[in-house]
Amino acid sequence: MRCGKENLLLYAVTDRSWLNGRSLYDDIKQALKGGVTFVQLREKTLDEENFLAEAREIKGLCRRYQVPFVINNNVALAKAVDADGVHVGQSDMEAGMARKMLGPDKIIGVSAQTVEQAVLAEERGADYLGVGAVFPTGTKADAEEVSLETLKAICKAVRIPVIAIGGISKENVMQLRESGICGVAVVSALFAQPDIEKAARKLKELTGNMVKV
């Protein structure tokens, strides 16, 4: 599955810390029903065997909704389950090596905080960039904030799609209008909400309005 700008409008990054007894599969299904356009499976604590089983199950779910499915950081696991691709950070495997491992048809996303990082990622074969944190976030304790000016500069410096991530919610997403991004990546704005499907539907509507401005 390829990755166009329309696939990146509402990008969900999973986090099992808000499950409260529910399954991650069910939470992702609710997000997909609400209109999420992309899913990144991020796991920090699962062992390899359980991660592999979970990834296969959620890949099947995303296929049914025809939504791209990528794995965070773990290129070997993404290859093992034949995910649509992988998303890597600056401290992970660089885009060129990930491309070499996964092949020309897979999606490679890269996190960037500076124009230099963004340009290099594009040169090395990234399909899209995730830029942030654009707002303060409690999801990732070590996340450095990226100013709106830097976000705009990155969007102007590259030809590939750019999404914003970090502390984005329905209350502040409109502040990102005219930045040049094609969508937003969210964690708690979906998975920490009492009604995930409803939260996704509202956030998708707002983000759609924001990118049109």
Side-chain angles (χ1 to χ4, degrees):
M1 186 177 290
R2 296 310 295 159
C3 175
K5 284 187 176 182
E6 67 281 357
N7 299 116
L8 293 162
L9 182 65
L10 184 55
Y11 182 122
V13 181
T14 69
D15 188 333
R16 61 177 49 252
S17 63
W18 288 293
L19 288 179
N20 292 321
R22 301 185 309 270
S23 73
L24 190 65
Y25 182 95
D26 286 341
D27 275 12
I28 295 169
K29 187 175 182 180
Q30 292 306 308
L32 288 165
K33 285 172 71 176
V36 157
T37 59
F38 201 111
V39 172
Q40 179 194 134
L41 180 61
R42 184 165 72 185
E43 287 290 1
K44 302 296 184 184
T45 57
L46 275 191
D47 61 75
E48 200 79 357
E49 185 181 351
N50 284 311
F51 193 176
L52 197 63
E54 177 185 77
R56 285 193 174 117
E57 188 180 37
I58 291 168
K59 183 187 94 168
L61 176 63
C62 290
R63 283 276 192 281
R64 289 203 293 279
Y65 282 85
Q66 297 184 304
V67 164
F69 168 70
V70 301
I71 305 286
N72 181 59
N73 295 350
N74 195 326
V75 181
L77 190 135
K79 186 173 183 178
V81 301
D82 193 28
D84 294 313
V86 70
H87 186 93
V88 293
Q90 288 296 314
S91 61
D92 306 311
M93 184 183 292
E94 61 90 22
M97 185 59 69
R99 173 69 67 208
K100 192 173 179 182
M101 282 184 67
L102 294 179
D105 298 325
K106 295 299 186 180
I107 300 167
I108 308 290
V110 177
S111 297
Q113 286 78 41
T114 67
V115 170
E116 292 75 20
Q117 290 173 357
V119 169
L120 186 60
E122 181 179 37
E123 286 174 358
R124 291 184 173 172
D127 291 298
Y128 72 89
L129 300 171
V131 176
V134 293
F135 299 113
T137 174
T139 302
K140 204 172 181 188
D142 59 349
E144 294 180 22
E145 283 190 49
V146 173
S147 69
L148 187 57
E149 290 71 27
T150 298
L151 178 62
K152 288 179 179 178
I154 288 172
C155 290
K156 286 178 180 174
V158 298
R159 294 178 300 278
I160 56 176
V162 177
I163 58 172
I165 188 169
I168 297 166
S169 67
K170 67 180 190 294
E171 286 79 22
N172 61 23
V173 68
M174 291 305 292
Q175 294 176 36
L176 299 171
R177 62 188 179 275
E178 298 182 344
S179 61
I181 61 172
C182 66
V184 297
V186 291
V187 188
S188 61
L190 289 178
F191 297 112
Q193 306 310 307
D195 187 330
I196 294 170
E197 183 181 345
K198 183 179 177 182
R201 193 170 288 116
K202 182 62 178 176
L203 200 49
K204 186 178 184 182
E205 178 191 348
L206 290 169
T207 304
N209 291 337
M210 179 269 294
V211 299
K212 286 174 190 171
V213 172

